[in-house]
Amino acid sequence: MKSNQILLFIHIVVAVLLLCTLGNAWVPPNLLGSLNLLSLGFPYLILAHVILTVIWIIKKNKLAIVFALGTFLFYNPIRRWANYSSRADNEKTIRDIKVLTFNVKYGEYGWDKVKNYIKEQNADIILVQEKDTNRALKQDLVKYPSVILKTKHKIVRQAEIIEDNARGNSFYADVDINGKIIRIVNVYLEPFRLHKSMFTKLDGLGIGNVSTLLSHMIPTFQAHEDQVKKIRKIIDLSPYPVILAGDFNSVPNSYEYYNLGKDLQDAFLVAGKGSASSFHDYKVPLRIDYIFTSKSIIPLSYKVDNSVELSDHYPVIAEFLLN
């Protein structure tokens, strides 16, 4: 009986932590920054929950039914990391636009290779984050400190969203696509400025290392809150359908994900399959690059191109039908 009690205690703790990740939809980082950290641990928490549930099943304990049913609360949160219920196969039609978003890490992996790859994709909308600021840009590029947009279509208007000295940078452009105006928002939220060495040192479980890591992360989450509000204002006041894409520097189930994606659809959930992990530079792959759209824009396909390593991010490519 004692072993069952210990197991139950552990499982309840895991379940409570999982439920807390849902709170990121409402609790801002400046109120409780540590809550947003739980979104980073979501894959491990859900894995622990599943393993513990299987143990209850093996033990033939009635608690297995309760915990198994509780798993359905996290159906969509799980799909945001790995989706196997896409309806993309049912959408067989000709696309209107192809969108590419790519954090190119300042061309450190070879700028010419990056440019050739982007050119080969022949996308209608190209969104780039962490561009090479030391090189001259062509006249048909929207010029901002960290992000650029290139498009085959006419740009009606454009403006920077984050105008302060933040390290993150975002802008929007209203683009006329064959007579339909779409608001394109290129997102690059405040980066964490983390190093792989920080995670390597964590293997030693040093408290000081954990503290150093958290000191980088929580203030960045708090900076994201203000940036998210500015981006949301541009989305909410848009008279046109919206495509929101870029590097959120945040994982699914985070405050940033919930609030930037509010009233929009995650194209990966509609048209993607498998894992959507786009950042591969650390031991644990993360999904931090996204494409969201207004619900009137229909996602037809969604791909994280992990066949190329031209940056510490993989390119994300999606096709859409403009309804």
Side-chain angles (χ1 to χ4, degrees):
M1 179 62 70
K2 189 174 181 180
S3 63
N4 278 358
Q5 290 175 341
I6 295 173
L7 188 65
L8 178 59
F9 174 77
I10 295 172
H11 205 159
I12 289 174
V13 170
V14 170
V16 169
L17 292 175
L18 280 171
L19 288 171
C20 286
T21 64
L22 302 179
N24 284 317
W26 304 282
V27 181
N30 278 293
L31 182 61
L32 188 60
S34 57
L35 186 64
N36 213 25
L37 286 171
L38 286 175
S39 61
L40 292 168
F42 179 83
Y44 304 100
L45 290 170
I46 199 68
L47 179 61
H49 167 72
V50 170
I51 292 173
L52 290 168
T53 301
V54 170
I55 292 174
W56 288 119
I57 293 173
I58 294 173
K59 285 177 170 286
K60 297 182 180 179
N61 192 300
K62 292 181 180 180
L63 286 171
I65 299 174
V66 176
F67 287 118
L69 291 175
T71 305
F72 287 100
L73 288 173
F74 305 100
Y75 174 70
N76 278 327
I78 292 171
R79 289 179 61 221
R80 293 170 191 147
W81 291 83
N83 183 25
Y84 294 95
S85 58
S86 164
R87 66 170 185 263
D89 291 341
N90 297 325
E91 300 284 1
K92 302 295 184 181
T93 187
I94 300 175
R95 66 174 170 85
D96 284 327
I97 58 169
K98 181 178 183 180
V99 177
L100 165 68
T101 179
F102 191 11
N103 181 316
V104 299
K105 195 175 173 61
Y106 304 107
E108 290 182 7
Y109 286 57
W111 189 243
D112 289 336
K113 293 179 181 178
V114 169
K115 289 193 292 185
N116 289 337
Y117 174 83
I118 291 175
K119 184 177 180 180
E120 290 170 0
Q121 300 312 306
N122 192 31
D124 299 272
I125 304 291
I126 299 168
L127 302 172
V128 173
Q129 303 86 40
E130 291 192 358
K131 68 176 177 63
D132 188 343
T133 54
N134 295 321
R135 294 177 181 269
L137 298 173
K138 295 179 181 179
Q139 291 183 355
D140 60 345
L141 297 181
V142 178
K143 303 177 180 66
Y144 292 107
S146 301
V147 288
I148 59 176
L149 160 70
K150 184 173 182 179
T151 177
K152 300 176 180 179
H153 304 279
K154 179 182 178 181
I155 297 176
V156 178
R157 67 181 61 81
Q158 55 182 285
E160 190 173 18
I161 299 174
I162 300 171
E163 300 176 349
D164 53 24
N165 294 323
R167 291 176 296 179
N169 183 242
S170 303
F171 74 91
Y172 81 90
D174 294 336
V175 180
D176 187 334
I177 303 175
N178 301 325
K180 298 178 181 179
I181 298 179
I182 305 295
R183 176 158 293 182
I184 310 295
V185 184
N186 192 353
V187 175
Y188 177 54
L189 293 185
E190 190 91 359
F192 287 95
R193 305 299 189 208
L194 299 177
H195 304 284
K196 284 187 285 187
S197 60
M198 295 179 181
F199 294 89
T200 303
K201 292 177 181 178
L202 286 179
D203 292 343
L205 298 178
I207 299 301
N209 294 327
V210 174
S211 177
T212 300
L213 189 62
L214 296 182
S215 69
H216 279 75
M217 301 187 75
I218 292 180
T220 303
F221 287 141
Q222 293 169 340
H224 285 177
E225 181 183 341
D226 182 59
Q227 294 173 8
V228 166
K229 289 178 180 177
K230 293 178 180 178
I231 296 169
R232 278 305 321 181
K233 184 177 180 181
I234 294 299
I235 296 170
D236 294 337
L237 296 178
S238 174
Y240 314 113
V242 172
I243 295 177
L244 171 78
D247 178 2
F248 289 18
N249 276 308
S250 307
V251 297
N253 314 320
S254 63
Y255 172 86
E256 297 86 340
Y257 179 95
Y258 280 119
N259 287 274
L260 283 176
K262 183 181 178 182
D263 299 324
L264 301 174
Q265 60 184 346
D266 183 343
F268 172 65
L269 296 185
V270 180
K273 281 194 174 183
S275 170
S277 296
S278 57
F279 183 78
H280 59 86
D281 204 32
Y282 297 158
K283 290 182 178 180
V284 180
L286 299 171
R287 183 188 182 204
I288 60 176
D289 300 273
Y290 305 86
I291 301 178
F292 284 85
T293 71
S294 297
K295 294 176 182 177
S296 61
I297 300 174
I298 303 172
L300 302 177
S301 68
Y302 186 101
K303 176 185 179 182
V304 178
D305 191 355
N306 53 20
S307 67
V308 295
E309 290 193 9
L310 302 174
S311 165
D312 51 358
H313 293 244
Y314 292 127
V316 178
I317 305 167
E319 296 177 316
F320 299 93
L321 183 66
L322 302 181
N323 189 359

